[in-house]
Amino acid sequence: MTAPTNKAKDPDLSPVDFIQLQQYMDYSRVRVKDVIKEFHAGGRFVQHRFGERIDATGFGLFLNAYLEADDFPADLCQRLFWYFQNAERDVQMRSPPPKGGGVYLKEVSCYFSVLEEGLPRDKLEFTFKLYDKDGNGLLDSSEVDRIITQMMRAADYLGWDVTELRPVLKDMMKAIDTDGNGTVTLQEWIQGGMNNVPLLVLLGLEMSERDGQHVWRMKHFSKPVFCSVCRSMLLGVRKQGLCCVLCRYTAHSRCANKNPDPCIRTFVMSNRLIGVTAHGWVSADCDSSKCHFCNKKIKTLAGKRCVWCQQTRHDDCVNFGSSSCDCGSLRDHILPPWAIYSMSKDEEGRKALKDDKCIENITPDGHVLQIAPVPGTHPLLVFVNPKSGGKQGERVLRKFQYLLNPRQVYNLSNGGPGPGLNLFRNLRDYKILVCGGDGTVGWVLDAIDKADLPVHPPVAVLPLGTGNDLARCLRWGGGYDGTDLEEFLKEVQESSLVPMDRWKVQVIPEDPREIGDPVPYEIINNYFSIGVDASIAHRFHSMREKCPQKFNSRIKNKLWYLEFATSETISASCKKLKECLSIECCGRALDLSSHSLEGLAVINIPSMHGGSNLWGEAKKEDRDGVPAEPPEVITEQNLLKISSQGRV
């Protein structure tokens, strides 16, 4: 446990401090509202609270509990504590600090609740109730200002240009008190906040509630960019603006509330529109590209681009030429909106609502979605683990949401593979792409087994993990290096189908009453091991569960494996393994007395440990010594050395 001292520190957090804090938060599963309960009557930390404040030790306990980190750096804890103490001096209308010092619990809670993941509506309600001290459902103007102050501080360390955000929030505060009585109700607060796009982005809006609604994210542009609403350039050193993840529509933060053009439609409202192809035009800076209709160059902000086929046309040419869209070079992968329809609320729709599998296909605004096959195509169902590859997964997720229909791209952190598999259940000809490590691939394959699908679709892999041994043996490479995903999708289209053996492991305890760790998977995709290899893997997994922020890149993960392997080599904890087990292969017992055995691995693929081929490549003269028809079981050590894996 760490606790800050009262020694004065620089009140400003550096970008490095904030990045370090964000890394801890990215892997925490605890919510602020759950931690603050521990400071109320009956909680574990109530003795560290006095009035509305918590002391230095209580602040350290708050961080340890919220971030699930017993090793949170003490120096960073001190800087955070001093930051909150110093920041409070700048906020007016506040009671004088108690003699014991400390920091306001609700200020700390508000700050971290803005940074954590979650629904914006829930965050708005949480911050309102946090500051509604008397519980009367009303906030005065000073309390609202304090909430905005904490949001501004969080925005500052998220890299926002707060000089542009401040007037936007001030305008919201003027409009939020609809009756002008000087107080704000919960309904006014939520309604005003939910209609303020920059505030929603700050609070972490991840999915749109309605089809055709933009999914904004803050972005810094490296080249001149124009706002699609006011048609003026994004100014400033960092050229900051809001960009829609789905259609790349760009706007100033202040312009996002001014009725921008709608986002793309991802499905049609009736089965009568199935198969009626149409372009999905959005305003775009076409960068002097040529119009597909008149073949003339398009000037800045004078054109539109189809999000499906990537055609560009002048604004005046959009209504001319063919209105039919063929989805361009990615037509084989894209599930177009005219192939997804909202079921009518007739008896068929009501029947679907009773089906648990259909419930997962309901949009936030109540549409039950169904897919109609598109002849001659193989739509791609994409699963992305956003925490794989040291944040590579997040970038891959956004890119696929832009290249394909967002309805066919699933974040595995939001419900796992089930919702995607259920939406595609009625299709007979589609493919699956798993973006993650070998563990993610195993997770999806296990979900496919349990989903009882009418067909088992082929699975491709975009390797984002540490070892990626399964991806290596399937020739998808040892790790994604940031190459163009459009080119990767073309490789998926041209790839050949390869069957893969998967083996079942049965663990039977000698004493059924003995309690042990459950077997996570019964299916072997890569390998099954006992001994030194399993010990290293278990230590790696346990450490990653305890301190996930230390495992945020492929290089770091490999260094951790190296450290655990080195310490295991020195300690030799499995050197007496042969005394603990016996091996029988095809009814024949193996003699282990002459071997120094520390590990046993049952290998299903040639590669393990991040690309190591334990069998090696046998030379031709060595292979000549192998019998043309080798025995069913090879136990002779010299013959094993020159045998290929497939012959054993």
Side-chain angles (χ1 to χ4, degrees):
M1 185 192 75
T2 60
T5 65
N6 290 323
K7 183 179 178 181
K9 294 285 183 179
D10 183 354
D12 291 328
L13 296 176
S14 69
V16 175
D17 290 336
F18 189 79
I19 291 172
Q20 189 176 8
L21 177 63
Q22 194 70 52
Q23 288 175 347
Y24 277 90
M25 293 183 64
D26 286 343
Y27 293 95
S28 175
R29 294 159 294 185
V30 179
R31 295 299 184 198
V32 170
K33 62 181 180 181
D34 297 322
V35 179
I36 62 174
K37 292 178 182 177
E38 301 294 343
F39 289 92
H40 296 307
R44 294 178 297 163
F45 310 143
V46 66
Q47 68 272 23
H48 299 288
R49 178 175 179 175
F50 46 97
E52 294 299 316
R53 291 188 171 234
I54 56 175
D55 59 23
T57 302
F59 182 76
L61 290 169
F62 175 91
L63 290 178
N64 290 336
Y66 176 55
L67 302 175
E68 298 183 288
D70 295 332
D71 61 342
F72 189 78
D75 57 341
L76 178 56
C77 182
Q78 291 174 8
R79 288 195 292 276
L80 282 168
F81 183 75
W82 180 250
Y83 166 77
F84 282 106
Q85 277 193 323
N86 185 78
E88 290 166 4
R89 300 173 187 171
D90 301 329
V91 182
Q92 299 178 354
M93 303 295 293
R94 191 182 301 282
S95 58
K99 295 180 180 179
V103 294
Y104 280 100
L105 177 61
K106 58 186 175 183
E107 306 289 4
V108 176
S109 302
C110 180
Y111 181 89
F112 283 104
S113 68
V114 172
L115 299 181
E116 73 182 8
E117 294 180 353
L119 296 175
R121 184 182 296 272
D122 295 338
K123 290 185 181 182
L124 287 168
E125 184 174 355
F126 172 71
T127 53
F128 184 96
K129 292 181 178 179
L130 192 68
Y131 281 82
D132 183 16
K133 183 178 178 180
D134 54 8
N136 66 349
L138 296 174
L139 295 179
D140 60 34
S141 58
S142 64
E143 291 173 323
V144 173
D145 284 341
R146 286 159 65 180
I147 297 176
I148 296 298
T149 298
Q150 291 302 323
M151 291 181 175
M152 292 289 293
R153 291 196 179 105
D156 186 30
Y157 284 101
L158 283 172
W160 286 46
D161 182 0
V162 293
T163 58
E164 183 177 346
L165 181 63
R166 183 175 283 106
V168 174
L169 294 181
K170 289 296 183 182
D171 290 341
M172 183 197 79
M173 295 315 302
K174 292 179 182 178
I176 205 170
D177 184 12
T178 55
D179 53 12
N181 63 356
T183 59
V184 177
T185 66
L186 176 60
Q187 182 179 357
E188 289 175 332
W189 170 248
I190 292 180
Q191 184 176 356
M194 291 300 290
N195 290 325
N196 188 278
V197 172
L199 180 60
L200 288 175
V201 177
L202 173 61
L203 292 176
L205 179 63
E206 296 178 352
M207 290 298 294
S208 59
E209 294 188 358
R210 299 186 306 274
D211 198 43
Q213 186 178 30
H214 291 290
V215 178
W216 299 104
R217 65 181 290 262
M218 181 57 66
K219 185 175 180 179
H220 299 289
F221 297 90
S222 58
K223 61 180 183 179
V225 177
F226 289 83
C227 173
S228 297
V229 179
C230 69
R231 303 283 174 154
S232 62
M233 186 179 290
L234 273 65
L235 302 176
V237 177
R238 293 181 290 181
K239 300 181 184 66
Q240 173 184 283
L242 295 179
C243 181
C244 177
V245 173
L246 309 184
C247 69
R248 302 286 176 87
Y249 190 90
T250 304
H252 291 105
S253 297
R254 63 179 181 271
C255 295
N257 293 328
K258 299 178 180 178
N259 296 320
D261 294 339
C263 190
I264 58 172
R265 294 289 179 177
T266 59
F267 62 91
V268 293
M269 300 300 295
S270 169
N271 57 7
R272 294 191 302 271
L273 299 175
I274 295 173
V276 181
T277 65
H279 291 290
W281 299 112
V282 294
S283 296
D285 183 359
C286 297
D287 196 22
S288 299
S289 57
K290 289 187 177 181
C291 174
H292 280 71
F293 178 72
C294 67
N295 206 33
K296 295 180 181 179
K297 283 190 176 181
I298 304 174
K299 295 181 180 180
T300 302
L301 294 177
K304 285 182 166 52
R305 174 181 46 79
C306 175
V307 294
W308 309 119
C309 66
Q310 302 302 317
Q311 275 193 26
T312 55
R313 294 186 191 178
H314 290 102
D315 290 336
D316 297 334
C317 296
V318 165
N319 295 325
F320 298 95
S322 174
S323 62
S324 178
C325 179
D326 64 359
C327 291
S329 61
L330 298 179
R331 66 176 63 89
D332 190 59
H333 295 310
I334 291 177
L335 185 65
W338 53 85
I340 310 174
Y341 65 95
S342 174
M343 298 180 68
S344 60
K345 304 227 171 137
D346 56 7
E347 187 173 348
E348 180 182 3
R350 289 192 295 271
K351 181 180 179 181
L353 285 170
K354 296 178 182 179
D355 188 349
D356 291 340
K357 294 182 174 60
C358 287
I359 290 176
E360 295 183 336
N361 300 333
I362 300 179
T363 65
D365 53 348
H367 294 282
V368 182
L369 301 183
Q370 188 68 272
I371 296 179
V374 181
T377 66
H378 309 80
L380 192 65
L381 173 58
V382 182
F383 294 113
V384 183
N385 186 344
K387 295 182 179 178
S388 293
K391 296 293 184 179
Q392 270 188 320
E394 291 183 359
R395 293 190 292 272
V396 167
L397 177 65
R398 291 195 297 267
K399 184 67 173 178
F400 278 130
Q401 286 176 330
Y402 170 69
L403 291 174
L404 306 172
N405 189 329
R407 298 287 173 189
Q408 63 187 111
V409 182
Y410 284 82
N411 182 341
L412 286 172
S413 297
N414 299 331
L421 294 175
N422 289 329
L423 180 62
F424 275 64
R425 167 176 295 276
N426 294 330
L427 290 185
R428 294 295 183 269
D429 197 2
Y430 67 101
K431 299 177 181 178
I432 290 178
L433 172 62
V434 181
C435 307
D438 288 346
T440 304
V441 177
W443 180 15
V444 173
L445 293 179
D446 185 60
I448 293 174
D449 293 337
K450 295 177 179 178
D452 191 26
L453 300 174
V455 296
H456 275 205
V459 179
V461 181
L462 180 65
L464 300 180
T466 303
N468 301 310
D469 289 298
L470 185 58
R472 291 174 194 271
C473 75
L474 295 174
R475 300 195 296 276
W476 291 113
Y480 175 61
D481 57 3
T483 54
D484 187 2
L485 289 179
E486 287 190 63
E487 294 299 320
F488 178 81
L489 290 177
K490 293 177 182 177
E491 292 181 13
V492 173
Q493 182 177 348
E494 298 169 357
S495 61
S496 57
L497 191 63
V498 178
M500 187 182 79
D501 288 330
R502 300 170 67 217
W503 301 86
K504 186 174 182 179
V505 177
Q506 191 175 11
V507 179
I508 305 174
E510 293 183 354
D511 184 358
R513 296 170 297 179
E514 184 178 356
I515 300 176
D517 294 336
V519 180
Y521 293 112
E522 294 183 344
I523 302 296
I524 299 178
N525 297 316
N526 291 15
Y527 58 89
F528 166 76
S529 61
I530 300 173
V532 61
D533 176 71
S535 175
I536 294 170
H538 183 265
R539 290 176 62 189
F540 178 89
H541 175 75
S542 300
M543 179 63 78
R544 185 164 60 176
E545 287 289 307
K546 182 180 180 183
C547 306
Q549 71 283 349
K550 296 181 179 180
F551 298 79
N552 54 10
S553 75
R554 192 176 293 125
I555 295 298
K556 284 185 180 180
N557 292 353
K558 290 185 177 181
L559 290 175
W560 276 109
Y561 269 120
L562 177 62
E563 178 179 330
F564 292 140
T566 302
S567 62
E568 184 64 39
T569 301
I570 296 173
S571 63
S573 62
C574 301
K575 62 182 179 181
K576 297 182 180 180
L577 181 64
K578 65 181 180 182
E579 300 176 6
C580 306
L581 57 81
S582 59
I583 304 174
E584 183 179 296
C585 184
C586 296
R588 182 182 303 179
L590 302 185
D591 182 12
L592 306 177
S593 59
S594 61
H595 299 281
S596 177
L597 185 66
E598 291 190 41
L600 169 68
V602 180
I603 307 173
N604 186 40
I605 59 177
S607 173
M608 67 184 299
H609 301 153
S612 299
N613 186 347
L614 300 187
W615 295 91
E617 299 295 336
K619 297 180 181 179
K620 184 178 184 303
E621 54 268 23
D622 292 334
R623 292 197 301 268
D624 292 340
V626 181
E629 295 184 3
E632 183 181 12
V633 180
I634 301 176
T635 58
E636 185 182 343
Q637 189 170 358
N638 292 331
L639 190 56
L640 280 171
K641 291 180 179 179
I642 59 175
S643 298
S644 63
Q645 183 184 14
R647 285 186 177 267
V648 179

